[in-house]
Amino acid sequence: MIKRQRHWVLFLLVTFIAMVLLAACGGGDSEETSGGTNSEDTGSDTSGEAVELSMLVSETAMDDPGFVAVLDAIEKDLNIKTNVEVRPGGPEGENVVKTRLATGDMADLLLFNSGSLLMALNPSQYFVDLGEEPFMDNVMDSYKEVVSSDDQVFGIPAKSSQVGAWLYNKKVYQELGLEVPRTWDELMANNEKIKEAGKTAVITTYGEAWTSQLPILADFYNVQAEVANFADDYTNGEAKFANTPEAQRGFERIQEIYENGYQNEDYTVATYDQGMQMIAEGTGAHYPMLTQVLPIIEENYPDLVDDIGVFPQPSDDASTNGLTTWMPDAIMINKEAENVDAAKKWLDYFISDKGIAAYESKAKSIGPYVLKDVELPEDSYAAVEEMQVYFEEGNIAPALEFVSPIKGPNLPQICTSVGSGTMTAAEAAAMYDDDVEKQAKQLGLDWD
Amino acid sequence: MNKNMNNMYPYFFLIPAILIYGTFFLVPTALSFFYSFTWWTLTDWEFIGFDNFIQFFQEPSLRIGFRNTLVFAFTTMGGKVILGLALAVFLTSKIRNKDLLRSIVFFPALLSTIAVGYTFSSMMHPTKGVINTILSFIGITGPNWLGNPDIALLSVAMTDIWKGVGIATVIFIAGLMAIPTHYYEALKIDGGSALQAFWHITLPLSRPAMNTVIILALIGGLRTFDLVWAMTGGGPGFSTDLLASIVYKQYAAGFFGLSTAGNVLLFLFVALVAFPIFKFINRKEVDL
């Protein structure tokens, strides 16, 4: 009898453990965070007619206090509550979006990339055309281009534009008596001096592979300057990285940085956060990156953010010097949304003066806005002010992924291979061309 | 009820199982064979014959993927068999706190693979990780475990062995306990040593357990994905890509037909490696 009891206890214990384990495994997938509503319950939603909209955003969006502030303002002023669901970033997140679109399980609003990644979703099938909406008049045409297909316009900008460029630490530059380089050779000479001074010349964070692409993506202004029709020919399958020396130069630059030993010791595993810390504290002098890091740096190192400056990726010719810009992510309305009217009001508010004011009450922009008549505030980041000059003089070009619908999915891995010495620039260019061809096939482009 | 019906009767009990197995296993398997021949966007598809397979075989990282998959599967299998057997022999010998030690050995098997992956990747950080910090105390400069393309895969394999050896040990313990003690007694009377006992009795008679461990570890290793993904994401570059991670990356890129074709190939590959080995080792099994 005692033995039998023991069996029962054991059975219950095993069942219990199994259930705890199952519960622990299942928890992580679909966390739902309400858009900051717990922090600010203003009591204005007492009318009882509150509308609720669901929204799918990437994990980094909720780190932006400005974005959260706009959601709060929308709830307060329009009585529309936004129920935010967070998805992972990168390819994993794209996958979530694609699967949910295909299975008809998309939220009412979607925050997603503009440009090539949006085109890969086949937007006309899933999103409401906003072309006729009056609020779209505020959006600059250059932005509409990257959220349009089949003569329809699908999204509003989720924040300001930004650039992909070289962030540098001004204190290090002062200390070593360096000047902002105008050519690639000058940059490499600076790197040599920084290395001799015992600091990391080029911060490299392959622990998060996507960060490896910046030296090639930010080189597109230079490619465009020399091969004006590259983007079109590339989209039509005529121009390739391997047979366009100007384009292949981006891979070569990564290779040169590696071969000269300018990277931090732990570059193969260092993370994005570690990169930000290094550039802020000046243990590293350069970080090729998107200016989206500025608000995060400000949050973590508020006293150091204005030590960071920015310059374009230099070309081989001093007369070619301009910034490669990134268009902001877009917010789209799902065609299947129950309350499309409320969603339109939501978008209208988001890019209205009130929406911008709410955003700027909590965060600063990372570049000029793509909305008409919106000026940068006076207390912008030092780096953004440096960027402004290039914008005013018109020395800017959108990144390749905004002028062509194709971007090969393996680019991060290819760049890390070149940057860690296991692949040459020429091999990388050839491999990336194959990768791009696969993407073109999937998009149904006729390349043969 | 005629005789025929009577014979059929027991089979009715199989219906629920067949329904479940059919819906959740057979139908998806058949569908994936079908979709591997299509250009597929999840909503519509177009039949394109063997294009996906041709494309998959042109995948530039595929050679690395095949090699890595085999290296990973055989390394982890070897590690689990050797360590598992050693631990099992130790844990069935006359030692104190046997139960506690057995629990400790089994503990890693209970952990979530992703959690293990993240923990180990932080422990293996070249300058700040625990492992290299300890090594530096005794004057050794530890390698860049996950950042060096030459050893990254082995670092992941080591972690997989750590995590999987508990199961192997439990299977071996069960196998060792089933060996009748009179064989050992006979050997003792004849004056045999402990080494002889292990070599002539334990090793051959734990064969059934060993075969189970080999097959389980091998199949597990061939289709490993989660641990590699958590620790290296297939990198640096493509150096730790396994077949499963290549398939995953294609799926994530939206090449659904192509990645399904990859999955079908992975299925065939696992079958091609596992079945002959299964047959081979089973022939060598002896009766107790």
Side-chain angles (χ1 to χ4, degrees), chain A residues 216-273:
Chain A
I216 186 159
L217 299 181
D219 205 42
F220 189 66
Y221 177 91
N222 302 328
V223 177
Q224 181 100 319
E226 291 186 53
V227 193
N229 51 352
F230 180 78
D232 284 341
D233 291 350
Y234 169 77
T235 309
N236 297 330
E238 286 152 18
K240 305 275 177 189
F241 273 78
N243 64 20
T244 313
E246 293 81 2
Q248 192 177 315
R249 191 77 185 96
F251 287 116
E252 286 164 11
R253 295 193 208 277
I254 300 177
Q255 191 177 344
E256 281 173 38
I257 295 168
Y258 163 76
E259 283 172 351
N260 289 300
Y262 291 148
Q263 294 157 317
N264 35 305
E265 202 184 335
D266 59 353
Y267 72 95
T268 48
V269 289
T271 61
Y272 186 44
D273 279 340

Side-chain angles (χ1 to χ4, degrees), chain B:
Chain B
M1 206 181 279
N2 62 28
K3 203 178 163 214
N4 218 355
M5 272 303 261
N6 258 338
N7 283 343
M8 288 291 288
Y9 182 63
Y11 290 106
F12 291 141
F13 290 106
L14 286 176
I15 288 175
I18 287 174
L19 272 181
I20 292 172
Y21 185 76
T23 324
F24 293 107
F25 296 91
L26 292 182
V27 173
T29 307
L31 275 179
S32 70
F33 272 90
F34 169 74
Y35 278 121
S36 66
F37 290 101
T38 63
W39 177 86
W40 181 31
T41 61
L42 293 185
T43 42
D44 61 320
W45 54 269
E46 188 187 319
F47 192 78
I48 54 167
F50 279 96
D51 277 10
N52 283 328
F53 291 91
I54 295 167
Q55 179 89 59
F56 191 86
F57 275 109
Q58 285 167 351
E59 190 67 24
S61 57
L62 193 71
R63 257 219 340 261
I64 309 175
F66 267 112
R67 198 198 59 206
N68 279 349
T69 305
L70 285 172
V71 169
F72 186 87
F74 281 92
T75 317
T76 54
M77 179 199 76
K80 284 174 193 170
V81 168
I82 293 167
L83 273 178
L85 183 60
L87 282 170
V89 170
F90 175 66
L91 291 174
T92 46
S93 62
K94 290 193 181 87
I95 48 164
R96 271 200 249 174
N97 296 328
K98 208 184 280 183
D99 289 342
L100 177 70
L101 289 175
R102 282 184 187 179
S103 312
I104 291 173
V105 168
F106 191 68
F107 172 70
L110 298 173
L111 298 173
S112 139
T113 312
I114 300 292
V116 169
Y118 283 141
T119 312
F120 269 82
S121 60
S122 83
M123 281 164 53
M124 288 176 172
H125 190 281
T127 51
K128 303 186 195 96
V130 178
I131 297 177
N132 281 4
T133 313
I134 293 173
L135 286 178
S136 71
F137 273 124
I138 50 171
I140 299 171
T141 317
N144 187 351
W145 297 101
L146 297 171
N148 180 343
D150 297 328
I151 59 168
L153 187 69
L154 295 179
S155 305
V156 181
M158 255 159 46
T159 313
D160 188 63
I161 292 171
W162 177 82
K163 189 179 163 356
V165 79
I167 304 255
T169 309
V170 167
I171 296 170
F172 273 123
I173 288 177
L176 295 188
M177 306 275 259
I179 300 173
T181 49
H182 59 252
Y183 288 123
Y184 291 103
E185 283 155 12
L187 185 90
K188 222 177 197 172
I189 291 165
D190 291 342
S193 68
L195 188 71
Q196 280 171 324
F198 174 77
W199 200 250
H200 296 291
I201 300 173
T202 311
L203 200 56
L205 294 185
S206 63
R207 203 85 218 192
M210 190 181 290
N211 291 348
T212 311
V213 172
I214 288 176
I215 287 297
L216 282 181
L218 196 67
I219 294 179
L222 287 174
R223 54 184 188 82
T224 291
F225 165 70
D226 38 9
L227 191 65
V228 172
W229 201 251
M231 291 182 75
T232 64
F238 299 90
S239 58
T240 55
D241 258 339
L242 303 175
L243 281 181
S245 69
I246 293 174
V247 169
Y248 176 79
K249 279 197 274 189
Q250 289 172 339
Y251 176 66
F255 309 154
F256 300 116
L258 182 61
S259 72
T260 311
N263 255 333
V264 168
L265 285 172
L266 179 63
F267 171 84
L268 295 175
F269 181 64
V270 171
L272 273 178
V273 175
F275 273 116
I277 290 184
F278 188 63
K279 279 214 132 155
F280 176 73
I281 57 182
N282 269 344
R283 238 189 303 146
K284 296 206 144 191
E285 214 167 277
V286 290
D287 288 326
L288 283 181

Side-chain angles (χ1 to χ4, degrees), chain A residues 51-53 71 74-75 78-82 342-343 345-346:
Chain A
V51 179
E52 293 198 7
L53 290 177
L71 298 192
I74 288 175
E75 180 166 3
L78 300 183
N79 210 3
I80 300 177
K81 184 170 187 278
T82 318
K345 272 190 211 156
W346 194 105

Side-chain angles (χ1 to χ4, degrees), chain A residues 54-84:
Chain A
S54 57
M55 181 173 195
L56 183 65
V57 305
S58 65
E59 57 192 354
T60 47
M62 298 308 285
D63 294 340
D64 180 355
F67 179 72
V68 177
V70 184
L71 298 192
D72 287 344
I74 288 175
E75 180 166 3
K76 205 172 136 204
D77 290 351
L78 300 183
N79 210 3
I80 300 177
K81 184 170 187 278
T82 318
N83 295 320
V84 176

Side-chain angles (χ1 to χ4, degrees), chain A residues 123-163:
Chain A
S124 55
Q125 189 177 347
Y126 298 112
F127 304 119
V128 174
D129 176 19
L130 305 171
E132 302 300 312
E133 299 300 322
F135 60 80
M136 288 309 284
D137 294 341
N138 300 337
V139 180
M140 286 186 184
D141 290 341
S142 57
Y143 186 73
K144 283 185 194 161
E145 278 171 29
V146 301
V147 289
S148 301
S149 76
D150 307 336
D151 295 327
Q152 295 179 315
V153 188
F154 300 105
I156 57 158
K159 52 166 78 173
S160 61
S161 67
Q162 60 171 332
V163 304

